Amino acid sequence: LNRRLAENELICIPPENILNNFINKVYPLMQLRFSNIDENKLLIITRDYLLPKLINGEISVEEEGKTTKNVI
């Protein structure tokens, strides 16, 4: 898509009530998406901290609960 094509395209602008209904439905989904992204980052940090310790035997599965509380 270039500027010439974009300028020649017709677009539909919905009435304000329809636009507001759309925003009210999409906004919570976007908030959930961002929350999931943040949670995923925390899970990655926790995994990267714990996995090497589990593999080399520095901690055992029984100790994991104590260790993750210290990480978070």
Side-chain angles (χ1 to χ4, degrees):
L1 183 64
N2 61 38
R3 177 178 226 145
R4 187 178 57 83
L5 289 174
E7 288 174 347
N8 292 329
E9 289 298 315
L10 297 176
I11 60 168
C12 177
I13 300 175
E16 189 171 339
N17 65 326
I18 292 175
L19 186 58
N20 286 335
N21 284 337
F22 174 79
I23 290 170
N24 289 335
K25 293 193 186 310
V26 171
Y27 185 78
L29 295 173
M30 293 303 295
Q31 291 299 107
L32 180 61
R33 177 180 180 264
F34 293 130
S35 175
N36 287 343
I37 289 170
D38 290 341
E39 182 178 7
N40 193 41
K41 288 177 185 177
L42 179 60
L43 289 170
I44 289 169
I45 290 168
T46 304
R47 178 206 60 205
D48 291 347
Y49 175 79
L50 290 174
L51 190 57
K53 294 179 181 296
L54 286 166
I55 290 172
N56 72 18
E58 188 177 331
I59 60 172
S60 67
V61 175
E62 292 80 27
E63 296 175 348
E64 180 180 329
K66 296 176 190 172
T67 306
T68 53
K69 287 179 185 174
N70 293 334
V71 173
I72 296 170

